[in-house]
Amino acid sequence: MVYFSHRLAFALFLSVCLPTITACELGGKAATEESRPRPVETMSVITQDVEVTVDAVGSLMARQFIDLRAQEPGIVRTLRDPNGAEVSRGDLLLQLDTRQAAAQVKLAGANVAEARASLRKNRLAHERIGALQGEGVASEQSGDDALAGLEQAQAALEVAQARLVVAEAELAETAIRAPFTGHLGRWEVDEGAYVQTGEILNRLTDDRTLEVRFAVPERTAAALAVGQAIRLTVSSHPEREFQGRLAFIEPEIDTQTRSAQAIGTFDNRDRLLRSGQFARVELVLETRRAGTLVPVTAVRKAGEKNYVFVFDDNRAIPREVLTGVRLGELLEIRQGLDAGDAIVQNGHTTLDLAEPTLVRTVTVEDTRP
C-alpha cells in the first residue's frame, strides 16, 4: 500500500493547474492588447490650388538684336559714343565720308535735268511733225523718226532718274542709323578708319524684352499652350523669381532629343537679366483649383496601390487613393478623398489595410516608436 502526504498531493495539484491558469491569463492579456485603440495623429486634408509644372533649363537672349555692318566702303568720320549707350530708333550711329557719294548724287541729278530737257525737245519736235503731217507737208517717215526720238528721250529720262535713286541710296548708306531702340555694344572701328562693305562694326541690342529658349520632354508637349505662365531664376539674382509667358512652341518634335522646343518672353526694362545668361525655367502647365493634399508621410504604399487612413468615429478606415503631383512635403490626391476629410497623419504603419482599426488621437510625440 502506497501513502501520499498532503504536501505531495498539493504539489501535484499545482503542477497540473498552474500551466492552465497561466495560459488563460496570457490569452486574456493578448485579447485586451488587440482590442485597445491604437494611438495615431490625425489632421484635416489640405485644400489649395495645385500647379502642375515642368522644369527646364535654357539660355536668355535679346528678343531683338542686329549686327551693324558697313553698307558702303569708306572712311569713318563720326561715331556715336560712348560704347554701350542707349539709342533711339532713327539716331545716327556712324557716318562715313560723304564727299564721293554726294558728288555722284549731284552728277545723277544733272543727268536727270539733261534728260528732261531732251524729252521736252523731242516732244515739241513730235508735235510739230504731227502738225505738218496734218497739212500734208511732212512724210510718214519723218513722223516715225520724231516718235522714236520722243520714246528714246523718255527712256533716257527714266534711266537717269533710276541712277539718281541709286546715287541717293548710296549716299544714305554712308550713314548707319538705329533701326530700333536699344543699347550699343563696343565699336570695332575708330574714327578715321577705312571700312569695307559688309564689315561688322557694332551690335545693337534691344534687351527690354528677353527670350528664354528651352526644351520639354515629348510626353509634355501636348500640354503646352501659348500664354502659360513661366517662372525663371538666374544665379546672379538667386533670391528673385522673374515672371514671364510662353510665347512660341515649335510645331515639330526634335527627332534627335525627342523634345519640344519652346520660347518664353520676359519684361526686362529694369535690365536685371542679361542676354546669354543660363536660366532655370519652371513652366506652369495647369492650375487645378481647390485641390486635395496630404502630407507625403500620410500615404501608405502596398504593392502598386496607395492608401490613406480616414479617421471617422474613432476608427481608421483604409481608403485607396490616386495620387497626383508632389509639392514639397505635400502630395496631391486626385481621387479617394474629399474636402473636410480627417486622416491619419502619423501612426498608420501598423494599422490594418483590410478593415477599420480602432484608434485614439494623440500628439505626434506619442506616435513615435
Side-chain angles (χ1 to χ4, degrees), residues 69-131:
R69 297 175 181 266
Q71 300 301 308
E72 291 290 329
I75 298 173
V76 178
R77 291 304 181 195
T78 59
L79 285 176
R80 176 66 180 259
D81 202 55
N83 292 320
E86 183 174 4
V87 297
S88 299
R89 180 186 177 93
D91 285 354
L92 179 64
L93 306 181
L94 177 145
Q95 179 65 63
L96 297 178
D97 184 18
T98 62
R99 288 175 295 181
Q100 183 175 350
Q104 291 296 325
V105 170
K106 189 174 181 179
L107 177 60
N111 290 335
V112 169
E114 183 180 6
R116 283 190 180 130
S118 177
L119 178 62
R120 285 194 298 270
K121 179 181 177 180
N122 281 275
R123 183 177 291 118
L124 290 173
H126 180 263
E127 291 173 354
R128 188 182 309 113
I129 294 299

Side-chain angles (χ1 to χ4, degrees), residues 33-310:
E33 290 288 344
E34 187 69 25
S35 61
R36 183 179 299 173
R38 308 277 182 88
V40 295
E41 183 189 12
T42 62
M43 64 171 290
S44 295
V45 297
I46 300 169
T47 301
Q48 68 179 50
D49 293 347
V50 176
E51 289 184 341
V52 181
T53 63
V54 60
D55 295 330
V57 294
S59 296
L60 290 171
M61 63 183 302
R63 190 175 187 181
Q64 191 172 209
F65 62 90
I66 187 174
D67 287 330
L68 302 177
R69 297 175 181 266
Q71 300 301 308
E72 291 290 329
I75 298 173
V76 178
R77 291 304 181 195
T78 59
L79 285 176
R80 176 66 180 259
D81 202 55
N83 292 320
E86 183 174 4
V87 297
S88 299
R89 180 186 177 93
D91 285 354
L92 179 64
L93 306 181
L94 177 145
Q95 179 65 63
L96 297 178
D97 184 18
T98 62
R99 288 175 295 181
Q100 183 175 350
Q104 291 296 325
V105 170
K106 189 174 181 179
L107 177 60
N111 290 335
V112 169
E114 183 180 6
R116 283 190 180 130
S118 177
L119 178 62
R120 285 194 298 270
K121 179 181 177 180
N122 281 275
R123 183 177 291 118
L124 290 173
H126 180 263
E127 291 173 354
R128 188 182 309 113
I129 294 299
L132 292 174
Q133 282 182 327
E135 296 174 359
V137 176
S139 66
E140 183 179 350
Q141 181 63 45
S142 60
D144 292 342
D145 292 342
L147 178 60
L150 177 62
E151 291 175 345
Q152 288 176 355
Q154 179 65 46
L157 175 60
E158 292 176 357
V159 170
Q161 289 173 329
R163 287 174 177 169
L164 176 60
V165 170
V166 171
E168 288 174 340
E170 290 176 348
L171 176 61
E173 288 175 350
T174 63
I176 296 180
R177 297 185 178 274
F180 50 81
T181 299
H183 288 83
L184 281 173
R186 179 180 179 276
W187 285 107
E188 299 296 331
V189 294
D190 298 315
E191 290 184 1
Y194 185 85
V195 297
Q196 299 286 354
T197 301
E199 183 177 345
I200 296 177
L201 309 175
N202 205 330
R203 171 170 285 195
L204 178 64
T205 302
D206 180 6
D207 56 2
R208 294 170 299 174
T209 299
L210 288 185
E211 295 181 343
V212 60
R213 298 175 181 266
F214 60 96
V216 298
E218 179 181 1
R219 64 180 180 277
T220 309
L224 298 180
V226 171
Q228 289 173 331
I230 298 178
R231 292 187 285 265
L232 178 142
T233 57
V234 294
S235 58
S236 59
H237 300 282
E239 76 292 343
R240 179 161 177 176
E241 196 172 68
F242 298 89
Q243 306 294 325
R245 293 286 173 183
L246 185 61
F248 178 77
I249 307 163
E250 285 286 356
E252 297 181 354
I253 298 295
D254 189 315
T255 57
Q256 299 296 322
T257 62
R258 294 300 174 184
S259 60
Q261 303 293 320
I263 298 176
T265 57
F266 293 81
D267 188 313
N268 191 45
R269 282 173 289 187
D270 53 11
R271 299 198 72 202
L272 292 178
L273 298 172
R274 297 283 182 172
S275 181
Q277 278 187 299
F278 174 81
R280 294 176 177 83
V281 177
E282 185 180 38
L283 174 64
V284 181
L285 299 175
E286 179 187 358
T287 299
R288 292 196 272 264
R289 303 298 179 185
T292 300
L293 298 106
V294 301
V296 175
T297 55
V299 179
R300 182 169 160 188
K301 191 172 183 64
E304 298 298 322
K305 298 181 179 180
N306 293 300
Y307 293 88
V308 171
F309 288 86
V310 177

